[in-house]
Structures are given as structure tokens and as C-alpha cells.
Amino acid sequence: MIPPLRRRGRMGLAPVAAVPIWRGMMRFLAPLLAPLLLVVAGAARAQAPNNPAAFQVTDFATGLERPWGAAFLPDGRLLVTERPGRLRLVGRDGQVSAPLGGVPAVEARGQGGLLDIALAPDFATTRELYLCHAMVVQGGALTRLVRARLAPDATALEAVTPILDATPAQEEGRNHWGCRIAFAPDGALFLSTGDRYATKLRAQRPDDLAGKVLRLARDGAPRPDNPFAGRAGTRAEIFTLGHRNPQGLAFNPWTGSLWQAEFGARGGDEINLLRAGRNYGWPLVTKGVDYNGSRIGEGASRPDLEEPVHWWVPSVSPSGIAFYDGAAFPAWRGSLLVAALNPPGLVRLATQGDRVVGEERLLTQGPRLRQVVPGPDGLIYLLTDETRGRVLRLAPG
């Protein structure tokens, strides 16, 4: 149990300040200063927010193993996936159910397993939901999207149907599955897929569903108005390409735009504003370097490739994201909340329209966070990436 805390997170990056350097020394100092300038430029190009909020954090639910995705039911109960392959129901009092029946078998190795969950927009009448998980098939492993119904007594899944495989399958590697789900206001289903790590250039291949964000109908078919529909040699499901391992997807409720969080390698974590048909660069360009310090691709940017709206060097390892529109923390309305794994914490990005204007670091002494979910009560719920995993609850305090 985490005891209630009163904290005011106030860690952010100030605006880039002018540094007096002798003009004659610029050629000598530029290579030495380049990494430092990238660190400063990589954070918010604005001041830290000036509207911190006091809060207390407590354990809401315990006894979970590597919780990964979560979705609130209309009655306020919470469905939570566990990466080893279980789905549980958390009551309004925080009590955790036995594993639900009917959950599909998953590939629970490396970073794989049972990952995200999302309710259909009409769940209240259809009880339809969607799961994303790693799966072994003939030829290797891949990211799979599944449609199912929650049984009336909420103890099992029914009519479990795989509706999309992010083909081709890949023999080597058990990392970078992506696997976040988001529904658009018009009902389109968006799914993120990772590049599967072992073969970076899959993210750039137009005939390959790895390293992409896909736009789908609810049966897994490509939407007919997708940007590459009808183009020879290109998968019609693709909405955007050039992604490494995108584990955050969220619609901005004020602008209607789709935002995405993506892991870089050693540095170069990104927040992207996704636009139909655009290429987000991986692995041709990145703000970071490889784990051994070597260069990746052509450099930090290229004119024909999309720039992130926000990035980090060094990394924060951003996983799930959510926009906050609740009443419990009025000072945080309009913020993008980012669950961070390394260094652990909750990152709050202040936004104006489709711009990031400030950053605040919270819970920096806590556990690794996999997902953030604003609750129907206006409070904020966080999934911890732990073997003895928890759902934490942030409340004003």
C-alpha cells in the first residue's frame, strides 16, 4: 500500500536561453554542444506549466501481474489486461475478480502478451470490446486484433473473433508490438503496430503492417477512404507509417486530432500529431541514437518526413497516453498525460490546441507506469508495470 502523499510536481524544462559564445570559437564548440542542444530542444519548446496541482496517490487495486491496458465500463467498473494473458474486472471498491473466461491464447514472451483493450463506442448496447495481443502463427509471430463481447454477468468473453493480423509474421524477435487501440469520433478504429525490432525497415515498407498506425472498420477491414486505398503495392489499412514502437494513442477532444506516443531507442522518444498518409521517419530519421551509441539512419530530421510535436533526449519511455478533461483537477484540463517507464513517472504536457506548451514531471520516485486512464469520477488511474502490479489512483489533496 502506498500511503497518501501530498505532492506538487514542478519539474520541467525552461525555455532555451541564449548562450554567449565567441563567434571565432563556434566551429570548434559546435560538435561538443550539439548533443546538449538536442536535449534542450527535445523537450517542450516552452516553460514548465505554472499551474501545478496538489494530489494524493493511493493503491486502488492490487494483485495484478504486469497490467497493460484498461477500460472503464459504463457502470464504473474497470477491465484490466495482464500481459501474461489474463483479463480481470476491478470493482468500484477496488476488488479484483478472478480471471475472466474466454480470453484468447497469447504469445507471452519478451514484450509480448495480452496488451490493450478498448470498448466499442456502442458498448452499452452491444457489449462489444476489442483486444490487442501478441500471437504466434505459421511463419512466426505478429500483432493481432480481436473482437469479442463481454458476457452479461461479466465473467467471460463471448464470440471471440480475430479480425486482423499485422502481417507478415516474423520469426525472430519478441519485442515492439505496438498494440494500442483508439476509437475516433466517427467510429473508425485505430491500431498501432510496432516495427518488431529485429528488422527496423519494416516500418517503411508499404506492403507491411508493422511499424504503422492502421485505420479500420469494426470488422478489421480497411476504411474505404483511407489515404492509401487503391494504391498498388500498399496495404489499404495504413493510416501513417514510419513508427518504431507506438504504445500511446489518444484523440484530442478539443481539436479532434489523433496524438501518438512512440518509444525511441536511446533518446528520441516522440509525441506525434498523426495526419493521414504521412511518414513519421523511423528508422530513416530519429532524435536519438542506437543502444550502443551508434547513429541510426540519416540524422535527426528530413524535410519530407514529419517532425514530432514534442520529443525527449534522454528518454522517458512513454507508454499509454490520455487527454484530461475531468473536474477533479481543473488546472490540468487540456493536458496530455503520459505514463512513463524509464525514468518512471507521470508526465503532464500542457497543450494549446495541437501544440505542447509545457511539461511537468510527477511521481518521479514511484514505479514504472504503463498506462494512464482518466476515470468517470474525474480521478486519474495508473497501471504500474510490475510483477506485483497495481492500479494507482490520483485524487486532489
Side-chain angles (χ1 to χ4, degrees), residues 7 9 42 49 63 68 71 78 82 179 199 203 207 218 229 235 250 287-288 290 294 299 338 343 357 367:
R7 290 188 179 175
W68 209 96
L78 183 68
E82 294 177 290
C179 229
T199 309
D207 61 345
R218 283 172 53 169
R235 294 292 297 265
K287 309 295 184 187
D290 216 336
S294 64
V338 181
V357 296

Side-chain angles (χ1 to χ4, degrees), residues 153-226:
D153 62 2
T155 62
L157 299 182
E158 301 173 339
V160 178
T161 307
I163 59 172
L164 180 128
D165 284 348
T167 53
Q170 177 177 300
E171 284 283 2
E172 71 274 25
R174 291 295 183 266
N175 296 330
H176 292 197
W177 306 91
C179 229
R180 198 64 76 180
I181 306 166
F183 278 95
D186 66 359
L189 186 158
F190 286 80
L191 173 70
S192 70
T193 67
D195 70 351
R196 297 301 319 288
Y197 187 67
T199 309
K200 295 182 176 68
L201 280 171
R202 290 190 66 183
Q204 289 295 323
R205 290 187 53 174
D207 61 345
D208 189 324
L209 293 185
K212 313 296 191 298
V213 172
L214 313 179
R215 182 172 179 263
L216 309 168
R218 283 172 53 169
D219 62 358
R223 298 273 289 207
D225 56 343
N226 277 355

Side-chain angles (χ1 to χ4, degrees), residues 3-20:
L5 302 175
R6 292 180 65 90
R7 290 188 179 175
R8 291 181 179 271
R10 278 305 304 251
M11 193 170 104
L13 293 178
V16 179
V19 180

Side-chain angles (χ1 to χ4, degrees), residues 2 5 7 55 57 59 340-346 361-370 382-386 390 392 394:
I2 293 181
L5 302 175
R7 290 188 179 175
F55 60 86
V57 55
D59 284 354
L341 294 163
N342 185 29
L346 179 65
R361 305 281 182 93
L362 308 165
L363 300 177
T364 56
Q365 303 303 311
R368 289 159 52 95
L369 299 179
R370 177 64 67 182
L382 304 165
L383 307 187
T384 70
D385 181 49
E386 303 171 292
R390 296 166 287 167
L392 307 181
L394 267 64

Side-chain angles (χ1 to χ4, degrees), residues 36-382:
L36 177 61
L37 293 176
L38 186 58
V39 170
V40 176
R45 288 166 277 271
Q47 298 183 22
N50 58 6
N51 53 348
F55 60 86
Q56 51 183 317
V57 55
T58 56
D59 284 354
F60 173 66
T62 59
L64 299 163
E65 184 178 2
R66 300 288 177 190
W68 209 96
F72 276 100
L73 299 180
D75 63 9
R77 292 180 296 171
L78 183 68
L79 284 169
V80 179
T81 64
E82 294 177 290
R83 201 173 68 185
R86 294 180 293 271
L87 177 63
R88 297 184 189 266
L89 185 63
V90 179
R92 291 183 293 274
D93 58 358
Q95 292 298 307
V96 178
S97 75
L100 274 63
V103 175
V106 305
E107 167 70 347
R109 284 196 293 158
Q111 296 172 354
L114 181 60
L115 303 177
D116 206 17
I117 183 170
L119 305 186
D122 58 358
F123 175 87
T125 56
T126 65
R127 302 189 69 80
E128 189 173 275
L129 57 81
Y130 292 78
L131 296 167
C132 182
H133 65 88
M135 185 63 186
V136 172
V137 298
Q138 185 174 3
L142 45 71
T143 297
R144 171 170 285 182
L145 180 66
V146 170
R147 181 173 61 187
R149 287 197 308 269
L150 183 65
D153 62 2
T155 62
L157 299 182
E158 301 173 339
V160 178
T161 307
I163 59 172
L164 180 128
D165 284 348
T167 53
Q170 177 177 300
E171 284 283 2
E172 71 274 25
R174 291 295 183 266
N175 296 330
H176 292 197
W177 306 91
C179 229
R180 198 64 76 180
I181 306 166
F183 278 95
D186 66 359
L189 186 158
F190 286 80
L191 173 70
S192 70
T193 67
D195 70 351
R196 297 301 319 288
Y197 187 67
T199 309
K200 295 182 176 68
L201 280 171
R202 290 190 66 183
Q204 289 295 323
R205 290 187 53 174
D207 61 345
D208 189 324
L209 293 185
K212 313 296 191 298
V213 172
L214 313 179
R215 182 172 179 263
L216 309 168
R218 283 172 53 169
D219 62 358
R223 298 273 289 207
D225 56 343
N226 277 355
F228 300 111
R231 183 177 298 187
T234 302
R235 294 292 297 265
E237 297 92 340
I238 296 172
F239 184 71
T240 58
L241 67 157
H243 301 295
R244 183 175 182 267
N245 188 20
Q247 288 188 10
L249 280 179
F251 278 90
N252 185 327
W254 296 276
T255 67
S257 58
L258 179 58
W259 292 49
Q260 175 240 38
E262 180 171 335
F263 290 81
R266 187 172 160 190
D269 296 342
E270 297 177 353
I271 299 292
N272 290 301
L273 183 64
L274 299 187
R275 302 185 189 280
R278 302 292 179 87
N279 188 332
Y280 289 78
W282 178 260
L284 305 177
V285 297
T286 176
K287 309 295 184 187
V289 296
D290 216 336
Y291 294 113
N292 62 7
S294 64
R295 177 175 170 174
I296 299 173
E298 304 170 16
S301 62
R302 207 172 82 179
D304 59 327
L305 302 174
E306 293 297 304
E307 281 284 292
V309 296
H310 193 83
W311 68 90
W312 292 273
V313 178
S315 294
V316 298
S317 300
S319 187
I321 62 175
F323 281 94
Y324 183 74
D325 189 22
F329 296 97
W332 291 359
R333 292 189 76 250
S335 296
L336 181 70
L337 304 177
V338 181
L341 294 163
N342 185 29
L346 179 65
V347 181
R348 183 174 74 87
L349 299 179
T351 69
Q352 291 181 1
D354 282 330
R355 296 186 305 117
V356 174
V357 296
E359 175 177 325
E360 182 178 21
R361 305 281 182 93
L362 308 165
L363 300 177
T364 56
Q365 303 303 311
R368 289 159 52 95
L369 299 179
R370 177 64 67 182
Q371 176 63 309
V372 52
V373 185
D377 53 7
L379 306 183
I380 296 168
Y381 295 79
L382 304 165

